[in-house]
Amino acid sequence: MAGTILLTGAAGFIGSHFAERLISRGHDVIGLDLFDAFYDPAIKEANVRRIRDLGGSFTLIRGDIRDGELLRELPDSIDSIVHLAARAGVRPSIADPLLYTDVNVRGTQELLHLADQRGIRRFVFASSSSVYGNNEKVPFSEDDRVDHPISPYAATKKAGELICHAASHLQGMDCICLRFFTVYGPRQRPDLAIRKFARKVLTGEPIPRFGDGSTARDYTFINDIVDGIESALAWTSRVGSSGGAGRFEVVNLGESRTITLNRMIQVVGEVFDRIPHVEEHPEQPGDVARTFADVSRARDLLDYAPNTEFEDGMRIFAEWYLREGARQDGVV
Ligand code: NAD
């Protein structure tokens, strides 16, 4: 792959890890990020410093994916787009659905338009397991119906997949939508439960548990997600080189193992060697009962082989948190 890769959301949790991977492979990367205030932008600045420390070909553009004029000024050398920028998070999307739709749907459409104007044929889109809503059937497979999202965030991700499909069909673009299942590991977003609970267990505050703790998540370690995104980008090159009409795929990236909320809280206690104190709350609207990925399509198409046990990934997360994350979160 010779061209430049446009990576949106490069300063974020997953984006910064993926930027590091691309640079370590010798790619030219343009990172586009707004450094929005969804969480402390200083954390994103620290993420970018780590990318720059690698010393590769990384250009950062501070800007908005919804800014069509800025997109038009991007270098001609871009031949692939990995689109990770978004307003993430289920609960805040209920408070501000207009913003979520604007960034996640209109922003994605702007990038698809850029691809159309430039003849960019490779597009990777970050979707989410939340599109499955309260899917009864487990594990969740890409052929299951996903017409019943239960939060604005989930609806924007499904909408993103749909507009990607239309663009792939009309523009002859090879496009792959990756449904990430709750990603964790070093530099995890501070709004996500594991990191919130880490802070609380270290400060001795009670851990808020919504519901009876039987809800379950397929937690995916960041390195496995990064492997999956890298393979997805390689897939767009592989199918593109065979010519013809644009290919479109939707693929789950999870660990294919579920962990209950109660077990997650227990493991947080174990890795920090503390006893968690749980404070009970009613279930939250928008939260799904469980997520559980069928990863057979990822295995077949991308040679995806997630191999991080939750307990091992959490030990790596805890080492990082004690070294860096705790300071960022004001835990002295
Ligand atoms: P993140 O918030 O850390 O990263 C997103 C980045 O996008 C941020 O740095 C933010 O500043 C940037 N951004 C937001 N709006 C922008 C805009 N208008 N223009 C340019 N940049 C903008 O989130 P993350 O956890 O790294 O998630 C990355 C992607 O993966 C998102 O699309 C998210 O919806 C998706 N996803 C994440 C998870 C997870 O568990 N972390 C699960 C499923 C899907």
Side-chain angles (χ1 to χ4, degrees), residues 67-273:
D67 183 347
E69 235 168 82
L70 176 130
L71 297 186
R72 275 191 292 282
E73 285 162 15
L74 291 171
D76 289 333
S77 55
I78 294 169
D79 74 353
S80 327
I81 299 176
V82 179
H83 174 34
L84 306 184
R87 271 286 170 155
V90 165
R91 291 177 199 163
S93 76
I94 298 170
D96 198 350
L98 286 176
L99 174 67
Y100 273 70
T101 306
D102 202 47
V103 173
N104 296 359
V105 185
R106 186 163 75 82
T108 301
Q109 190 69 69
E110 286 286 358
L111 289 159
L112 294 167
H113 183 58
L114 172 77
D116 187 27
Q117 288 183 322
R118 297 281 182 86
I120 296 169
R121 282 191 55 107
R122 297 195 264 276
F123 201 96
V124 179
F125 172 65
S127 185
S128 162
S129 60
S130 64
V131 301
Y132 289 104
N134 272 323
N135 202 27
E136 289 291 326
K137 178 190 143 282
V138 287
F140 298 172
S141 107
E142 295 87 346
D143 293 327
D144 295 346
R145 272 186 70 178
V146 287
D147 296 331
H148 304 102
I150 62 166
S151 68
Y153 170 70
T156 67
K157 287 293 174 182
K158 171 64 185 165
E161 293 180 359
L162 293 174
I163 61 175
C164 280
H165 183 273
S168 167
H169 175 75
L170 293 170
Q171 299 165 208
M173 188 180 73
D174 299 306
C175 177
I176 186 161
C177 299
L178 303 174
R179 291 180 179 163
F180 300 154
F181 283 65
T182 317
V183 190
Y184 75 102
R187 282 140 60 189
Q188 191 193 32
R189 279 192 350 244
D191 62 298
L192 289 171
I194 288 178
R195 181 158 173 182
K196 272 194 195 158
F197 293 180
R199 187 179 71 74
K200 287 183 186 293
V201 85
L202 286 174
T203 55
E205 289 170 65
I207 290 182
R209 191 189 69 193
F210 297 96
D212 65 3
S214 62
T215 56
R217 292 285 174 276
D218 190 339
Y219 292 105
T220 318
F221 191 60
I222 183 68
N223 295 12
D224 292 324
I225 286 289
V226 166
D227 286 347
I229 306 173
E230 186 177 23
S231 302
L233 186 57
W235 173 88
T236 62
S237 292
R238 205 164 57 240
V239 295
S241 63
S242 60
R247 288 271 305 269
F248 177 81
E249 290 286 350
V250 174
V251 177
N252 288 339
L253 294 184
E255 294 285 336
S256 214
R257 180 182 169 206
T258 56
I259 306 289
T260 64
L261 178 55
N262 281 335
R263 174 68 186 145
M264 185 267 266
I265 293 171
Q266 192 184 22
V267 175
V268 170
E270 283 166 14
V271 295
F272 289 105
D273 202 16

Side-chain angles (χ1 to χ4, degrees), residues 13-14 33-34 39 44 64-65 84 86 153 157 183 189:
F13 164 44
I14 300 172
D33 202 295
L34 186 59
Y39 60 86
K44 302 176 191 185
D64 197 317
I65 53 168
L84 306 184
Y153 170 70
K157 287 293 174 182
V183 190
R189 279 192 350 244

Side-chain angles (χ1 to χ4, degrees), residues 25 61 133 152 258:
R25 303 274 196 234
I61 296 176
T258 56

